[in-house]
Structures are given as structure tokens and as C-alpha cells.
């Protein structure tokens, strides 16, 4: 996914790493399938000052509606589902093409230009460095030497092909369409709508401008074989009609096949795979783009740490196991869900048309279920507990978990514990009172220390009073120690040869 490359370049640039980003296309995309920006992505964007612009440019979807066989079966309010779990307790609709332009603009401001019409012909990794062969617009070949190469070049990745890495999986039978439309009707009320029928599927995503929406649905089965010459007239109209959508204008329209694949490896030597080059899956839950962005952030701080000499090169070994495990789980779960949504089989049809309308409203009525669904779809539940970088447990928080989000009160000013994460550096968090020995080790290791006065709601998020949490640059807990031991922190850092970037060892209190 192209997004992964842009986000990787943005984070690396912010971390002081020089990058080149090349693309053989002539210009940014003008159409898009990806529209959902999940809460975890917005949290990561906050670390680099991007979240506010994304939220401003997009449209907040506070609720989702499920329609089955012509009737509205359920409605879930996102704000209620995510309350207290994230500073972004909602899903955001921000089309891929506009999103891409924003990222490119931020890179330009940082002095990084996307090199258009520049094609990767191949590369070698024989001496611990990469030598890439490029062909520029004028046809003149160029050789580029670099420490690492990241393949963010989509499902037909040239980097993956050079590496000879397998991409097993399959393709769903249905042909789908995506269309940008101007319309009116009951399902054009600014909320997300999903419609299910015997074999048809339709998702409606509201856009920033009133009366505009992105539709994703099925093409009529009898014309699927003509996929190169299809138009709006060939889409299945049944669900559109009973969801009362009157389309006045189609601004653009395209069709696509849905695949489910995960690369056998995400890394080989000095080369890495990210986004759609590493994994592709169904659009259920709006996970694809967000997963590629997660890949980019995970890899960026690790590359920067190694390149700046603040971490052993073995740190990069954690990228593949952390991200491939999540990708495999995601493909498996979205595959099951997508098959249930689109399968023409009698059992799937029975579940979709008769059981779902009864079950979903009952489940949505339960607060615990709504919270679970938000955590899952928002990707705030993603963890790296099995990683070699994850150790310990304090309260309900394990090493490898996303740092729980909590509000804080600093001198009467409402704030939160995510604010220090903008440093993009390792840091220690203590909720309660920090022991003097923790202050000493932080001073000695030039490790930022953030102490937050204890509040009861912190315990409800799973945090333990006076425990020590060593937080990674991407906001995940690396080490959780219930006893608040300085020796445990020292041992962790020494074993991995980690040196924080921050040169200011002064204590930073937030409360």
C-alpha cells in the first residue's frame, strides 16, 4: 500500500533519517477504495502532528447502521462504544486520494519530494547494504546506494518479486465496485450504512460534503465477466433501492477483485515489505490502510534507532514477527466475516438474513460487547505480547500492549498521558509516585521520566499504581514492572543495547 511508504517516510524524516521515495506513477491517485481511518491510526498520527489535519479534512462517523433484506436491523453509536478508550472514540471517513495528498504535502514541507515516474528495476543486497537500480523519467538509469529498502509497492510488489518471497492466498469470486456519488435518501444521513441481501452487499460511507458518499458494493453476477467495460449501470441496484438511495450523479466509478494473501516473510536482509506488498485482505471493518500504516510506524522507529546507533541491529528482527502475526490473524478473521457477508451458500444466507437481524441488536445492547467491538475495529487492541521486545506485567497491562489512554490534570488543565509520545522516543511512565531509584536510572540513562499523579480512573484502564512502564517510541509498552524496580529497567535496556535519543535528562512531571 502506497500509504505505508508515505507514512514510513514521514516518520523517518521526523526521526532524522534521510530517505528517498520513488514511484513509477505519474501522479497521485484520484480514486480510492480505502476511506476509514481508525482510532489507533489517529493516535499514531498525533505523535507526528498529523491527526488534527486528518480529522479536519474527514468526516466523523458517530454511528453505523445494519440493513438486512430491506429493513434496518441495528444501529451502533461509535462515540458510546469508544468512550474512555481513546482520544478518538469514533471512526473517521477520509478518502484515500485526499489522505494521500495530505501526506505528500507534509513530506514536501519536510523537504522530501516524491520522485515520480521513477521505476525500480532491481536491487542487490550482497554487502549488508542495498544497491538499487532505478530508471528515471528521461530513461537514464541510476544506481542508488542505501542502508535499507522498503517495499511499499502494493499487491504486485517489485521488491517482493526480487526477494523471491511467496504471497499465498486467494481471490474471492465476486466482482466489487467503488463509486463516488451525489445522492439523497435515508442512508445519506452522515452515518455509515451496510446492507446485506441474498447475494448482494452494499456499504455507504459519508463524505465531508453533504449529500456525497462513497459506495462499495457488488456488480451484477451476470456481467462480472465483462469487468473491463463495466459502468454504473451494471451494479446491483436491489440493495440501493431498498436502502432508499437516489443517486443523482456518479463522479467516478471503478471495479476490483478482493484478495486475501499474506507474504511468507516481511523481511529479507536489508529489505522490508509493508502494506499491500505484505498483506491484502477483504474490506470488512476498514482495516487495510490502517494496517499498512501500523507496519510503517512499527518499522520506522526501529530503523531510526539502528541507523543512529542507539540500538543493536537485532532490533530489526522484531519487525516481521510483530507485524506478520497480526496480518495473519486479520486475514483469517476478515476472510471469515467476508465469506459470511457474500457467500451464496444456504447456511451463510440463513445466518445473514435471519440470525443476524436478531442477534446483532441484542449484542449491541451490551456495553461490554460495544467496547469489545470498538477495540477490535479501532485496532487499539492490537498487541505485541509475544514479541522479543515485550516483558513483564503490571496490573492488567502486559509488555507488548498499547499504552492505555487516560486523562490527566496538569495544573487544572485537561490533558492526557499520550502527550509525551510526541517525542518519538523511549520513556518511562509512572502513575502514582516514582521511586527515587527510578529518577536516578532515568537521569543516568538520559531516559525521559513522566510521573502522573494517581487518579481512580487509571486503575480502571488496567494501570497499576506506582508501577513502572517502559514505553516504546510507537506508544506500546515494552516493559511493565509492578514493583517499579530500577534494576529491571536497567537490565532490559542493557540486554537490547538501547540508548534513548533524548539529551535532556530532566524529570518531566505531568499531572
Amino acid at each position: 500500500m502506497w500509504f505505508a511508504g508515505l507514512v514510513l517516510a514521514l516518520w523517518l524524516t521526523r526521526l532524522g533519517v534521510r530517505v528517498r521515495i520513488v514511484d513509477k506513477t505519474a501522479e497521485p491517485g484520484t480514486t480510492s477504495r480505502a476511506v476509514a481511518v481508525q482510532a489507533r491510526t489517529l493516535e499514531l498520527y498525533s505523535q507526528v502532528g498529523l491527526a488534527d489535519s486528518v480529522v479536519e479534512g474527514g468526516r466523523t462517523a458517530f454511528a453505523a447502521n445494519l440493513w438486512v433484506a430491506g429493513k434496518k436491523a441495528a444501529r451502533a453509536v461509535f462515540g458510546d462504544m469508544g468512550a474512555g478508550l481513546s482520544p478518538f472514540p469514533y471512526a473517521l471517513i477520509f478518502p484515500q486520494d485526499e489522505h494521500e495528498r495530505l501526506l505528500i504535502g507534509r513530506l514536501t514541507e519536510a523537504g522530501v519530494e516524491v520522485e515520480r515516474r521513477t521505476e525500480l528495476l532491481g536491487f542487490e543486497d550482497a554487502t549488508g547494504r542495498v544497491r538499487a537500480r532505478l530508471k528515471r523519467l528521461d530513461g537514464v538509469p541510476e544506481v542508488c546506494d542505501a542502508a535499507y529498502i522498503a517495499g511499499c509497492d502494493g499487491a504486485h510488489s517489485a521488491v517482493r518479486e526480487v526477494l523471491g518471497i511467496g504471497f499465498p492466498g486467494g481471490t474471492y469470486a465476486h466482482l466489487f465496485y467503488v463509486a463516488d456519488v451525489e445522492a439523497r435518501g435515508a442512508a445519506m444521513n452522515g452515518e455509515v450504512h451496510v446492507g446485506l441481501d441474498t447475494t448482494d452487499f452494499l456499504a455507504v460511507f459519508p463524505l465531508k460534503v453533504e449529500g456525497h458518499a462513497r459506495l462499495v458494493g457488488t456488480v451484477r453476477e451476470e456481467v462480472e465477466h465483462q469487468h473491463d467495460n463495466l459502468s454504473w449501470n451494471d451494479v446491483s441496484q436491489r440493495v440501493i433501492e431498498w436502502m432508499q438511495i437516489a443517486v443523482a450523479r456518479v463522479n467516478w466509478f471503478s471495479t476490483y477483485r478482493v484478495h486475501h494473501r499474506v507474504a511468507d516473510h516481511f523481511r529479507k536482509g536489508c529489505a522490508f515489505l509493508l502494506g499491500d506488498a505484505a498483506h491484502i485482505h477483504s474490506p470488512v471493518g476498514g482495516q487495510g490502510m490502517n494496517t499498512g500504516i501500523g507496519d510503517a510506524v512499527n518499522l520506522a522507529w526501529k530503523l531510526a534507532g539502528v541507523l543512529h546507533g542507539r540500538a543493536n541491529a537485532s532490533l530489526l528482527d522484531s519487525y516481521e514477527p510483530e507485524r506478520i502475526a497480526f496480518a495473519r490473524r486479520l486475514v483469517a478473521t476478515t476472510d471469515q466475516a467476508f465469506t459470511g457477508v457474500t457467500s451464496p451458500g444456504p447456511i451463510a444466507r440463513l445466518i445473514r438474513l435471519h440470525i443476524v437481524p436478531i442477534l446483532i441488536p441484542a449484542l449491541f445492547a451490551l456495553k461490554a460487547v460495544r467496547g469489545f467491538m470498538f477495540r477490535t475495529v479501532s485496532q487499539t487492541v492490537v498487541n505485541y505480547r509475544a514479541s522479543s521486545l515485550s516483558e513483564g506485567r503490571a496490573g492488567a497491562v502486559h509488555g507488548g500492549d498499547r499504552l492505555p489512554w487516560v486523562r490527566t490534570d496538569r495544573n487544572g488543565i485537561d490533558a492526557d498521558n499520550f502527550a509525551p509520545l510526541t517525542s518519538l522516543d523511549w520513556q518511562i511512565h509512572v502513575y502514582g509516585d516514582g521511586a527515587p531509584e527510578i529518577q536516578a536510572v532515568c537521569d543516568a540513562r538520559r531516559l525521559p521520566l513522566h510521573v502522573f499523579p494517581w487518579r481512580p480512573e487509571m486503575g480502571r484502564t488496567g494501570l497499576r499504581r506506582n508501577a513502572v512502564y517502559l514505553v516504546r517510541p510507537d506508544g506500546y509498552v515494552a516493559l511493565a514492572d509492578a514493583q517499579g524496580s530500577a534494576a529491571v529497567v536497567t537490565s532490559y535496556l542493557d540486554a537490547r543495547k538501547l540508548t534513548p535519543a533524548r539529551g535532556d535528562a530532566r524529570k518531566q512531571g505531568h499531572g
Side-chain angles (χ1 to χ4, degrees):
M1 176 171 287
W2 177 233
F3 272 97
L6 296 173
V7 175
L8 178 64
L10 192 62
W11 268 64
L12 285 172
T13 302
R14 172 73 182 272
L15 288 164
V17 175
R18 290 192 304 113
V19 301
R20 286 187 68 178
I21 182 165
V22 302
D23 182 11
K24 67 179 181 181
T25 65
E27 58 187 17
T30 56
T31 63
S32 58
R33 297 199 297 268
V35 294
V37 182
Q38 302 296 352
R40 184 61 187 139
T41 295
L42 290 172
E43 291 173 0
L44 294 170
Y45 276 1
S46 283
Q47 294 186 242
V48 291
L50 194 60
D52 288 347
S53 295
V54 173
V55 172
E56 182 180 348
R59 178 161 189 164
T60 301
F62 285 102
N65 302 270
L66 178 66
W67 299 63
V68 179
K71 298 179 180 179
K72 187 183 290 187
R75 181 174 184 267
V77 179
F78 293 138
D80 178 40
M81 293 168 69
L85 301 175
S86 170
F88 307 99
Y90 47 76
L92 186 78
I93 308 303
F94 189 46
Q96 178 178 332
D97 50 341
E98 297 176 37
H99 196 158
E100 183 176 332
R101 288 195 294 271
L102 175 62
L103 292 172
I104 291 171
R106 287 301 177 92
L107 281 169
T108 300
E109 291 172 6
V112 178
E113 296 291 339
V114 177
E115 300 177 42
R116 296 283 178 190
R117 296 181 179 177
T118 302
E119 183 178 1
L120 175 71
L121 300 177
F123 64 91
E124 292 79 37
D125 175 16
T127 60
R129 285 182 64 84
V130 171
R131 170 156 288 192
R133 290 176 286 109
L134 307 174
K135 184 174 72 173
R136 302 180 64 86
L137 173 61
D138 57 11
V140 176
E142 178 189 353
V143 173
C144 174
D145 290 317
Y148 298 98
I149 185 170
C152 311
D153 46 347
H156 303 288
S157 170
V159 173
R160 192 183 63 242
E161 184 176 341
V162 170
L163 296 174
I165 292 176
F167 201 36
T171 305
Y172 295 102
H174 279 294
L175 183 67
F176 291 82
Y177 74 85
V178 57
D180 185 284
V181 304
E182 298 172 30
R184 63 183 184 279
M188 295 293 294
N189 63 348
E191 299 179 357
V192 175
H193 293 262
V194 176
L196 307 178
D197 204 354
T198 51
T199 58
D200 293 341
F201 163 83
L202 177 66
V204 182
F205 300 97
L207 299 181
K208 184 80 169 178
V209 179
E210 291 294 333
H212 289 240
R214 191 66 41 85
L215 305 186
V216 178
T218 46
V219 171
R220 288 188 291 116
E221 191 173 355
E222 62 269 24
V223 298
E224 284 189 352
H225 64 284
Q226 306 171 12
H227 60 87
D228 289 332
N229 299 297
L230 297 177
S231 70
W232 174 252
N233 295 326
D234 298 302
V235 310
S236 180
Q237 295 289 333
R238 178 179 169 83
V239 181
I240 293 175
E241 290 172 357
W242 56 244
M243 287 177 68
Q244 304 171 42
I245 303 173
V247 176
R249 177 185 175 89
V250 179
N251 295 317
W252 56 259
F253 167 90
S254 66
T255 60
Y256 65 101
R257 294 281 181 186
V258 176
H259 305 267
H260 50 100
R261 302 178 184 275
V262 180
D264 289 331
H265 296 285
F266 286 11
R267 180 196 181 187
K268 187 173 182 181
C270 295
F272 300 86
L273 298 177
L274 297 81
D276 284 0
H279 46 79
I280 50 177
H281 37 81
S282 86
V284 169
Q287 302 295 295
M289 176 183 69
N290 297 275
T291 304
I293 291 170
D295 294 342
V297 174
N298 185 287
L299 180 59
W301 68 267
K302 295 173 182 178
L303 283 172
V306 172
L307 289 167
H308 290 317
R310 295 194 292 268
N312 191 283
S314 62
L315 177 65
L316 296 174
D317 295 339
S318 66
Y319 169 69
E320 178 179 308
E322 288 188 354
R323 295 308 295 175
I324 203 170
F326 173 58
R328 286 170 173 163
R329 289 195 304 273
L330 182 62
V331 167
T333 53
T334 57
D335 179 53
Q336 292 173 347
F338 197 64
T339 299
V341 166
T342 61
S343 173
I347 295 178
R349 199 160 54 234
L350 172 68
I351 294 173
R352 188 165 63 237
L353 301 183
H354 300 287
I355 296 178
V356 165
I358 298 173
L359 186 62
I360 292 297
L363 290 175
F364 278 10
L366 302 174
K367 183 177 180 180
V369 171
R370 296 196 302 272
F372 172 79
M373 290 186 64
F374 177 83
R375 288 183 179 93
T376 301
V377 174
S378 68
Q379 297 196 358
T380 56
V381 77
V382 173
N383 70 77
Y384 305 130
R385 290 185 180 182
S387 172
S388 61
L389 297 181
S390 303
E391 285 188 12
R393 175 182 177 180
V397 179
H398 294 246
D401 289 352
R402 159 189 167 270
L403 179 70
W405 174 73
V406 294
R407 291 191 177 279
T408 62
D409 182 3
R410 187 182 184 187
N411 299 323
I413 299 174
D414 187 38
D416 65 28
N417 65 327
F418 279 15
L421 301 180
T422 57
S423 69
L424 307 187
D425 196 10
W426 291 86
Q427 55 194 263
I428 292 281
H429 282 211
V430 176
Y431 299 85
D433 300 310
E437 63 174 5
I438 291 297
Q439 177 66 66
V441 76
C442 287
D443 287 344
R445 298 300 180 110
R446 308 175 77 82
L447 184 65
L449 171 63
H450 300 278
V451 178
F452 303 88
W454 182 258
R455 303 174 73 177
E457 54 266 36
M458 293 175 174
R460 290 193 286 271
T461 69
L463 294 166
R464 183 184 177 106
R465 190 169 189 169
N466 300 338
V468 165
Y469 298 94
L470 176 62
V471 183
R472 302 173 4 167
D474 57 357
Y476 286 88
V477 175
L479 169 69
D481 183 62
Q483 306 306 314
S485 169
V488 172
V489 174
T490 299
S491 176
Y492 181 97
L493 296 173
D494 288 346
R496 293 162 180 82
K497 298 180 172 60
L498 294 170
T499 305
R502 189 174 178 82
D504 181 2
R506 292 175 298 173
K507 179 178 179 180
Q508 301 179 39
H510 291 259

